[in-house]
Amino acid sequence: MKMLDPKKLFVQYRPNAVPTDPKFPRRYTLTHSDTTARLFLVVGPEFAHDTAYPIRDEVYAEWKTFNREKVLYGYVLVADENTTESVARQRNEIFLRELPRVLEAFRYGDRYFFEGHPEYKEAPVYIQFESVYPEFRQLKPYGPISKYV
């Protein structure tokens, strides 16, 4: 697994999202460039749908509360109605392989938030794999966000 190269991570805070202020909703959108291997993280009150590419390989995550516990809940699109099963299988494998690095990008990219609010460091992470194929549709736990430093 490739680990995060901080020099290739570019972070943008949208209006009403401040690095150290826990204003909610707080949402993350991560996209990347296949040619440069750069990662682009947008932090804001809304998902940055304007940064998504037609191939839909972005990762979205947001802070939610379940049973009074803060949880970082993410979403990836493995397959929609235009995706063949073989492509869905390949996309699923890529997401499974790359999600630890994506979570590291969330953790590192929003590090000032976590430093200012250490109570969020132990929040569990769940990723929803969305797919028209049931075998790829799942909710997967990834442990606490502190694991991705």
Side-chain angles (χ1 to χ4, degrees):
M1 172 182 62
K2 297 177 190 174
M3 297 312 291
L4 177 70
D5 179 354
K7 292 178 286 209
K8 291 195 173 204
L9 176 63
F10 298 88
V11 181
Q12 175 190 43
Y13 288 89
R14 293 277 170 101
N16 296 321
V18 179
T20 58
D21 187 0
K23 281 190 174 176
F24 292 98
R26 189 176 196 87
R27 295 185 171 112
Y28 304 100
T29 304
L30 188 85
T31 58
H32 74 281
S33 166
D34 285 332
T35 56
T36 65
R38 291 181 176 164
L39 297 171
F40 304 95
L41 176 64
V42 178
V43 181
E46 303 296 330
F47 292 122
H49 295 290
D50 58 307
T51 64
Y53 297 106
I55 58 173
R56 300 289 316 270
D57 58 357
E58 66 276 358
V59 178
Y60 297 110
E62 64 184 321
W63 288 102
K64 291 187 168 220
T65 303
F66 291 110
N67 297 324
R68 297 190 315 206
E69 177 184 38
K70 288 292 185 193
V71 171
L72 186 58
Y73 195 90
Y75 313 86
V76 296
L77 177 62
V78 176
D80 62 14
E81 60 279 347
N82 299 315
T83 310
T84 65
E85 191 169 353
S86 63
V87 169
R89 185 174 315 298
Q90 183 180 19
R91 286 175 57 81
N92 189 66
E93 289 172 8
I94 291 168
F95 279 126
L96 288 170
R97 182 180 66 238
E98 295 297 329
L99 268 163
R101 186 162 57 127
V102 168
L103 296 174
E104 191 176 352
F106 290 161
R107 175 68 179 82
Y108 181 81
D110 206 17
R111 65 191 172 280
Y112 302 116
F113 169 76
F114 290 105
E115 288 169 8
H117 305 281
E119 65 272 19
Y120 288 89
K121 289 180 182 179
E122 294 308 311
V125 178
Y126 293 92
I127 304 294
Q128 177 68 52
F129 288 69
E130 298 174 347
S131 176
V132 295
Y133 301 103
E135 64 267 31
F136 304 122
R137 193 179 315 130
Q138 63 179 321
L139 178 63
K140 187 165 173 46
Y142 276 84
I145 191 68
S146 62
K147 176 178 165 182
Y148 302 96
V149 178

